């Protein structure tokens, strides 16, 4: 009846047709990559849209736009608008956080090359104070949602369109966001019903053509809507514009938001852990806590007095459930509430709870200031009728992470009450490996000058770049460059006697790397000795360290002063073609009889042909892997970490048509026993995880990712890995850098190579949150890469 009356009124009132044509704007939220196809279709029909982009989402992962893709949208005539740094619910944040979210988002987008004048409130969450901040941050308008009539129940009394100009440009009215319940007729009706009176309609899309997402429109319906709008525009009944074209105004400058509060660095890192401090919205979530969830479920949350301690606890009730979960957690913010964390560090979390269903901790981490990603989840904790403490220690924080958020969740119907959360740095067991994104701690080219003949240089490890002052050993990539004569380098703990061992042999003018694991001196330093008649520049890129103390747990590392365990030159008998030599590790030189793996520097000398050496546990099959490739007459080293056989020996196989002398200098071993603690090492038979020779080489300045977590028995929760990286058939000089997926490319290198060389080097590197390692080829030419994994760290 209401619709019939409306149509009759229009028919009897032709004066309404004198209004300016209806303006229609197509807006898209959250920088989803599936919007790119929709934009291409829309632009092909001559229509342009406004894309609201949270700056922290750009380049986050494959499901979101890259900066280049968003810039291409702008170049095509579309508008890019702001949507906060982390897509935060601004009503739950204090003034400082709101200002950072809005102002810093605009600055970040502007600095990337975008023309930024329009803003959209995430979740359509705003207050007069927030709207004032949007104005102060330099925007010309800001969009709300759900206050224009649509088919959505409860919107019948709302106006059919926003006015032009809007009565409040910092809370422009728009229909509810489009979801998977909208039909094509629902979409077209927004325009058809508003046309007679003119004004402005803003469509709001999230996903296009992703049927698993609730906030989705099918590709067919979207394309049909675009066709409809294009026809209406051609007929002169509507005009399709971007938000900026509707509002107008110059591009303004703005200042950044205030610095976030100083993070908590000791004790409990959670702010307001017992929910005793109220939040900014009266009667809603407590300070530094927000509701969250995903999937298809219905939940409510409230503060209740039945607490574990104090007067407040959080109650979560899931009344219907199909998928996903619900929780109340510290906000995914820029620093107001969420704890700051250190990559490689593990954190112990706890919370008191009662629940009618299973619960578990769910963890998120932030990269930089705005890119939040799901991290991992704990095992289940069962239902509890009285307050029970759930405690769990996380895996190592992924490389590049700067903050984390966590909470107990419900992933079924039920009631969960939580209180008294805690998050503390986990204790590190002696001998546990702590991975870190590679960092350069020594480069004599920029400090101190080259190391002289038979000279030494020391560099600080303990207390540098976040490394504790007292550590047992360090792993680093050592590179020699610009040597004026041949020679070799020996690495050892500062303040100790130089051992009869070598880590890196080099020729005049050669640039050559090798991985080193060596004890750290009492002063926190490592010393490098150059046995040469000339000078050489030395570079050290550290990728991790081992915790101090007496190792006892399975997989713990115990360093030893480098010691020569094998030198076939002393027997006068080299290893023959396709020959094998074994040497004793367990029970030798103070090493226990039962050890799981050993780390040693392997050197080939006096080879009569080219070939490669494979190290493996005595008594097992020779794996399809290599540790050291060499040319005829070459002296070349490489660090090896390999399982030890049941007889306590390691075997070395020489794949060559000629003979070669082999030298092994042991620098540490891993304890035997079940590997269960964080940071402990689990050796595996060397396994080939990557060989690009079966496909395309890595492009010039290209990057590839290698999946290691969740492959070939390596768990998804592994924190780091050891693998032998070999460069083959490079077309130009260059170097390769290994680093965790998700982290920025570090100023470090793992393998330096010349055109045509085959060069190996051992790599110890953290895994990204997705279980991957990136390999970047810094070269103007292509190269093939081979990765043989020999173990992982929990």
């Amino acid at each position: 009846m209401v619709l019939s009356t409306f149509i009759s009124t229009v028919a009897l009132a032709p004066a309404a047709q004198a209004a300016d044509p209806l303006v229609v704007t197509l807006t898209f939220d959250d920088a989803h990559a599936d919007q790119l196809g929709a934009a291409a279709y829309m632009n092909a029909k001559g229509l342009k849209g406004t894309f609201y982009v949270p700056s922290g989402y750009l380049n986050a992962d494959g499901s979101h736009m890259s900066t280049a893709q968003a810039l291409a949208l702008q170049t095509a005539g579309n508008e890019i608008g702001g949507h906060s740094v982390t897509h935060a619910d601004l009503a739950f944040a204090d003034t400082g956080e709101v200002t950072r979210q809005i102002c810093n988002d605009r600055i970040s987008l502007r600095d990337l090359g975008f023309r930024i004048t329009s803003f959209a409130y995430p979740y359509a969450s705003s207050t007069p104070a927030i709207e004032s901040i949007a104005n102060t941050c330099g925007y010309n308008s800001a969009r709300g949602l759900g206050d224009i009539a649509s088919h959505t129940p409860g919107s019948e009394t709302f106006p059919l369109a926003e006015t032009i100009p809007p009565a409040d440009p910092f809370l422009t009215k728009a229909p509810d966001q489009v979801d998977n319940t909208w039909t094509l007729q629902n979409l077209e009706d927004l325009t058809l019903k508003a046309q007679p009176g003119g004004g402005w309609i803003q469509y709001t899309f999230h996903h296009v053509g992703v049927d698993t997402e609730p906030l989705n429109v099918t590709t067919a319906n979207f394309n049909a809507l675009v066709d409809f709008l294009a026809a209406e525009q051609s007929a002169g009944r509507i005009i399709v514009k971007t938000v900026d074209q509707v509002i107008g105004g110059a591009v303004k400058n703005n200042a950044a938001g205030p610095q976030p509060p100083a993070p908590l660095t000791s004790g409990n890192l959670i702010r307001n852990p017992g929910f005793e401090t109220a939040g900014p919205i009266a009667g809603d979530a407590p300070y530094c806590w927000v509701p969250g969830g995903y999937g298809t479920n219905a939940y409510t949350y409230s503060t209740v007095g039945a607490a574990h301690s104090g007067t407040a606890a959080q109650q979560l009730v899931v009344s219907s459930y199909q998928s996903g979960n619900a929780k109340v957690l510290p906000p995914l913010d820029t620093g107001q509430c969420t704890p700051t964390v250190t990559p490689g560090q593990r954190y112990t979390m706890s919370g008191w709870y009662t629940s009618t269903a299973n619960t578990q901790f769910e963890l998120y981490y932030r990269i930089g200031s705005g890119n939040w990603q799901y991290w991992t989840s704990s095992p289940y904790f069962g239902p509890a009728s009285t307050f029970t403490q759930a405690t769990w220690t996380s895996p190592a924080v992924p490389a590049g992470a700067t903050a984390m958020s966590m909470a107990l969740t419900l992933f079924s119907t039920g009631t969960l009450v939580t209180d008294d959360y805690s998050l503390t740095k986990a204790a590190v067991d002696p001998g546990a490996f702590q991975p870190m994104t590679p960092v350069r701690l020594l480069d004599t080219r920029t400090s101190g000058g080259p190391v002289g003949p038979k000279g030494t240089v020391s560099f600080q490890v303990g207390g540098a770049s976040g490394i504790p002052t007292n550590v047992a050993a360090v792993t680093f990539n050592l590179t020699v460059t610009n040597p004026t004569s041949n020679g070799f380098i020996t690495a050892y703990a500062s303040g100790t006697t130089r051992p009869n061992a070598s880590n890196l042999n080099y020729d005049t003018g050669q640039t050559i790397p090798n991985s080193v694991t060596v004890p750290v001196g009492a002063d926190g330093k490592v010393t490098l000795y150059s046995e040469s008649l000339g000078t050489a520049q030395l570079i050290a890129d550290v990728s991790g360290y081992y915790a101090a103390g007496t190792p006892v747990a399975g997989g713990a590392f115990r360093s030893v002063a480098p010691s020569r365990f094998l030198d076939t030159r002393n027997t006068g008998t080299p290893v023959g073609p396709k020959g094998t030599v074994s040497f004793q590790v367990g029970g030798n030189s103070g090493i226990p009889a039962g050890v799981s793996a050993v780390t040693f520097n392997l050197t080939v000398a006096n080879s009569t042909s080219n070939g490669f050496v494979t190290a493996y546990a005595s008594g097992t099959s020779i794996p399809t892997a290599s540790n050291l490739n060499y040319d005829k007459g070459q002296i070349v080293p490489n660090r090896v970490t390999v399982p030890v056989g049941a007889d306590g020996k390691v075997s070395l196989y020489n794949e060559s048509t000629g003979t070669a002398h082999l030298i092994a200098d042991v620098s540490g071993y891993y304890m035997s026993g079940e590997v269960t603690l964080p940071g402990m090492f689990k050796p595996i038979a060397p396994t080939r995880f990557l060989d690009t020779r079966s496909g395309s080489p890595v492009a010039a300045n290209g990057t590839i990712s290698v999946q290691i977590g969740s492959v070939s028995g390596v768990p998804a929760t592994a924190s780091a890995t050891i693998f032998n990286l070999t460069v083959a058939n490079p077309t130009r000089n260059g170097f390769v850098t290994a680093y965790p997926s998700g982290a920025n490319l570090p100023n470090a290198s793992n393998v330096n190579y010349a055109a045509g060389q085959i060069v190996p080097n051992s790599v110890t590197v953290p895994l990204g949150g997705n279980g991957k390692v990136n390999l970047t080829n810094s070269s103007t030419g292509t190269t093939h890469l081979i990765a043989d994994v020999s173990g992982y760290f929990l």
Side-chain angles (χ1 to χ4, degrees), residues 735-759:
F735 64 89
V736 177
T737 301
Y739 57 104
S741 174
N744 293 326
L745 176 65
N747 177 32
S749 63
N750 293 91
V751 182
N752 297 70
Y753 59 83
Q757 274 190 321
I758 298 179
V759 184

Side-chain angles (χ1 to χ4, degrees), residues 333 335 338-342 364-368 372 397 400-405:
D333 62 19
T338 45
T340 297
V341 294
T342 302
Y364 296 83
Y365 67 91
R366 186 185 70 208
I367 296 176
W372 280 94
V397 171
T402 54
M404 70 174 286
S405 179

